[in-house]
Amino acid sequence: MVLSRHLDERVWLLNRQGKAAIAASAQGHEAAQLACIEATDPSKDHYLIYYRQFAAMMALGTEPEEMLRGFLAKTDDPMSGARQFPLHGAHPRVDLFNFSNVIATQLPQAAGVALADKLKGSDAVTVVFFGDGASSQGDTHEAMNFAGIHKLPVIFFCENNRYAISVPLEKQMGVESVASRAVGYGFPGVQVDGTDVGAVYEVTNVAIERARAGDGPTLIEASVERLLPHTTDDDHTRYRSSEDIVQMLNRDPIRILAELLKRRGQLTDSGDEEIHALAKKRVNLATDTVDAEPYPSVESMFDHVIDSSGGHS
Amino acid sequence: MTERTVIEAVRATIQAEMRRDSSVIVLGEDVGIRGGVFLATDGLIDEFGEDRVIDTPLAESSICGIALGAAVNGMRPIAEIQFADFVWPAINQLVGEASKVRYGTNGVKTAPMTVRVPYGGGVRGGLYHSQSIEVLFAHTPGLSVVAPATPFDAKGLLATAIRTNDPVIFLEHKRTYRLVKGDVPDADYTIPIGKAEIKRPGTDLTIIAYGLMLHYALQAADMAAANGISVEVLDLRTLRPLDEDAIVESVSRTGKALIVQEDTLSVSISSEVAAIIGERCFFDLDGPITRLGPPEIPPMPFSPIQEAAFMPSPDKILAAITKLAEI
Ligand SMILES: Cc1ncc(C[n+]2csc(CCOP(=O)(O)OP(=O)(O)O)c2C)c(N)n1
C-alpha cells in the first residue's frame, strides 16, 4: 500500500518533469483495491481493470519497474509494449487486462470471460473494476443484466469516488448508491467503506465464495476518495470546494490504516517511518533503472496487428 | 456434394464447426428455439444445448462484448447480429475494442470471434432492414471483413472465419440467402480470407463486385456477351484485406474497370478499389475507372418503385458495361 502510494506520487513527479505523458492516480483508492485483490486467487481469477487500478496491479505482484515502463512508455512495458496508455494491455503473469480507454466496455467483456469459465466448468471468478461514472453507461446495464440471467461468476467492483472527472454523483445518478441497482439484476449489491481494508476484504470474500459456488454475481460499491485530480491533466480546484478537499484528506486510507495499527499496537512510529523509507528507496531504484531504458523501435509498431501467420485453430 | 442455398450453407457450416470444436458457441437474439430470424441456427439448440446456443437479451453491444470476453478466455464465439441495421450499438465493442485486442496487448491476447451480420437490400426492408454497413469495419485495421456471395464461398469462408484467431466480420447478403443456390461439397474445406476470385473470365473489361451485386454483374455479363462484349467478373469475397493483386491482375489484362456496389459510393469499398487501380494500373487503362452504385440518399426507400430505382440492377449494369466498352 505504501509502496503503491510512493510510486504513484513518483509518477506524478515524472509527469511534471515531462517524462510521463499522463497519469491517473489510485491515491485514496488503495485500501479498496488491495483488500479486494487479497480476497481473490491470482492463480486462476481474472481481473478486468480500467486506468485507476494502480494499487490493484501492485497487489498482484507487478514490480515498480514494470509499472514505470508503462508510464514512461519504454520498450519493455509488459502490458502493451508502450502502445497504450499506462495500465492498458494485458499483464504478463496474471490474467489482468484492460483493452481500451473507452469507459465501461470492460463490463460486458467481463461477463463474457465469466461465461467462458462457466461453460468450461472452471471455478475461476472474474473481477471487473469500474467507476461511478462508468455505472451510467449502457454497457454496464447490459453486462449486469446478462450476468444476472446466467448467474455468472463475476464481481462488479465499483470504486465510487463521487466524481467522474468533475461531474459529481448527484449529476450522475438519481439514486443514493450504485449498489442499490443490483436489485434490478437479481443479485446482491453491497456498499462498503473503501478505506477499510478489513471491511472490503470481508465483502469481497463473500462475493468470491458466492461466485465460486455458482450462485452468481455480486455488485460491490466501495466508497473511496480520489485524493488527486482526475489525471495529471486536471485541476480539481476548479470544481471541488476547499471544504470538500479538506474533508476528503481525512479519508486517506493509508493514514487510516496506519492509525488503526498504531492504536492496536501493531505498528510503531519508527516502524511506519521505516516502511516509508524502504518504499522510497525502492521507488528511487526503479526510477533510475527505467529512466535509462530505451523507447520501442519504430519497426515494432507494425507487429501484432493481426495474426501474421494466418494461423488457424 | 449437396445443392444448398446460402442460408443452408451457413447453417450447415455452423453446425459442422460446432461438432468439430467444442469451444465454438453461438450467441444472439432468437438464435435458440427460433433458430434465428433467418434460420441460420435452426435446430442447433437441440443438438448443442442452451449452453452453446445462447439466446441473449436484446442488447447488441453486450452480445459483441460478451463474445469478445469469451473469446479471450478460450471460446470461439459466433455472435449473430439479427440485422446489420442494428449493429451500430455494438460498433464500440467491435471497431473500438475487438479490433485492437491483439495490437493493444502486444500480441498477448487474441480475440477469435466471428460476428455474422445479415446485410443488404432489395428485400423491401426500408431504411432499417436494408443497410450495407461494411465500410466502417473494412476501414478498421485488426478486423477482417468477409462478404461471400455463393453457398460454396459462404461455407469455406465461414469455416475459416470461425477458425481464425482474430475477429472476423462475416457479412451475409439477405437477398442471396434463398435466391442463390449452388453445389457445396459435404467434406470440410476452407477458403482463405483475402482472396478474390474470377467468377467469369472475359477480355474486354472487368467488373469488380461482391455480395448480391456479384450475381447482378454475372447476369449483366451474360447479356453483354450476347452483344459481343466479353466481361470478366471478379468477386472480391473479402473486403478487408482487399485482394489487391487480383484486382490489378484482372484490370491490367482487360484495361477497363467497372466497380459495382449496392452501398453508397462516396468513401466506400468502390472508392478504395478505384484508388488501387489508379495507383497500380494507370498505364494499362484504356478507359476511365467507372463506378456504379445507388444514389446518395439514405438506403433505401420502402416503396417498391423507389427501392427498385435505388438498387443497381442487371439492366443498369449492362448500360454501364456498354458505355465503358464503347470508349
Ligand atoms: C466512453 C467514454 N466517454 C468519456 C471518456 C472520458 N473520460 C475519461 S475518464 C472519465 C470519468 C470516469 O469517471 P469514473 O467512471 O467515475 O471513474 P474515475 O475516474 O472516477 O475512477 C471520462 C468522462 C471516456 N474515456 N470514455
Side-chain angles (χ1 to χ4, degrees), chain A residues 155-176:
Chain A
I155 297 175
F156 295 101
F157 195 87
C158 179
E159 295 177 30
N160 182 350
N161 59 20
R162 298 184 289 121
Y163 287 94
I165 308 186
S166 69
V167 178
L169 215 53
E170 59 271 21
K171 289 186 179 163
Q172 198 69 245
M173 57 191 72
V175 287
E176 288 292 307

Side-chain angles (χ1 to χ4, degrees), chain A residues 80 83-84 89 95 97 100 102 105 108-109 112-113 117 119-120 139 142 146 149 301 303-304 306-307 311-313, chain B residues 51 57 59 61-62 65-66 68-70 73 75-76 92-93 97 102-104 106-107 109 160 163-166:
Chain A
S80 78
R83 291 202 167 122
Q84 295 226 52
D95 199 37
F97 54 93
S100 92
V102 187
T105 50
Q109 292 163 13
V113 172
D117 279 330
L119 296 177
K120 289 189 278 191
D139 267 4
E142 292 188 23
F146 188 83
I149 292 167
M301 83 178 178
D303 299 340
H304 302 303
I306 208 159
D307 196 352
H312 282 179
S313 69
Chain B
D51 277 355
S61 179
S62 58
I66 289 162
L68 172 51
N73 193 16
M75 297 288 135
R76 287 188 177 270
N92 189 29
Q93 287 291 350
E97 305 283 312
R102 183 184 287 274
Y103 194 70
N106 206 15
K109 295 271 184 202
T160 302
R163 299 177 200 182
T164 294
N165 292 327
D166 290 297

Side-chain angles (χ1 to χ4, degrees), chain A residues 18-262:
Chain A
K19 290 179 175 171
I22 184 155
S25 167
Q27 292 181 43
H29 291 232
E30 292 105 330
Q33 293 178 12
L34 292 165
C36 169
I37 296 296
E38 192 60 30
T40 66
D41 181 350
S43 73
K44 62 180 167 192
D45 292 340
H46 315 275
Y47 309 89
L48 284 80
I49 63 164
Y50 67 106
Y51 47 80
R52 208 174 288 291
Q53 277 65 49
F54 190 108
M57 276 186 67
M58 296 289 290
L60 284 163
T62 318
E63 294 296 332
E65 286 81 1
E66 295 179 302
M67 298 294 295
L68 286 179
R69 284 177 190 127
F71 283 97
L72 299 184
K74 294 304 179 81
T75 189
D76 289 330
D77 162 36
M79 290 289 286
S80 78
R83 291 202 167 122
Q84 295 226 52
F85 269 17
L87 278 75
H88 290 70
H91 198 277
R93 291 181 299 278
V94 291
D95 199 37
L96 171 149
F97 54 93
N98 174 17
F99 292 145
S100 92
N101 289 74
V102 187
I103 295 288
T105 50
Q106 73 272 26
L107 283 95
Q109 292 163 13
V113 172
L115 173 70
D117 279 330
K118 192 180 169 196
L119 296 177
K120 289 189 278 191
S122 156
D123 74 342
V125 175
T126 300
V127 184
V128 58
F129 297 86
F130 63 108
D132 41 288
S135 76
S136 299
Q137 283 280 1
D139 267 4
T140 303
H141 163 70
E142 292 188 23
M144 291 187 186
N145 187 40
F146 188 83
I149 292 167
H150 292 277
K151 291 202 183 321
L152 297 181
V154 56
I155 297 175
F156 295 101
F157 195 87
C158 179
E159 295 177 30
N160 182 350
N161 59 20
R162 298 184 289 121
Y163 287 94
I165 308 186
S166 69
V167 178
L169 215 53
E170 59 271 21
K171 289 186 179 163
Q172 198 69 245
M173 57 191 72
V175 287
E176 288 292 307
S177 79
V178 177
S180 67
R181 292 189 174 150
V183 68
Y185 304 111
F187 51 80
V190 218
Q191 258 185 306
V192 63
D193 178 356
T195 68
D196 182 338
V197 281
V200 175
Y201 177 80
E202 284 304 322
V203 298
T204 311
N205 215 20
V206 171
I208 289 274
E209 277 173 15
R210 186 181 141 77
R212 282 208 214 289
D215 294 335
T218 304
L219 168 55
I220 297 174
E221 175 183 13
S223 65
V224 293
E225 298 296 335
R226 195 191 75 199
L227 297 180
L228 293 182
H230 173 66
T231 64
T232 43
D233 289 338
D234 183 32
D235 168 10
H236 65 191
T237 61
R238 290 174 64 94
Y239 54 83
R240 293 187 84 154
S241 69
S242 42
E243 301 89 72
D244 183 21
I245 291 172
V246 171
Q247 285 284 326
M248 83 173 169
L249 292 174
N250 294 330
R251 298 227 314 135
D252 178 342
I254 292 191
R255 230 172 69 190
I256 289 174
L257 183 60
E259 279 164 12
L260 176 76
L261 293 174
K262 283 176 191 171

Side-chain angles (χ1 to χ4, degrees), chain B residues 73-94:
Chain B
N73 193 16
M75 297 288 135
R76 287 188 177 270
I78 307 171
E80 174 175 306
I81 297 295
Q82 200 159 68
F83 290 83
D85 314 64
F86 312 132
V87 78
W88 305 120
I91 288 296
N92 189 29
Q93 287 291 350
L94 298 174

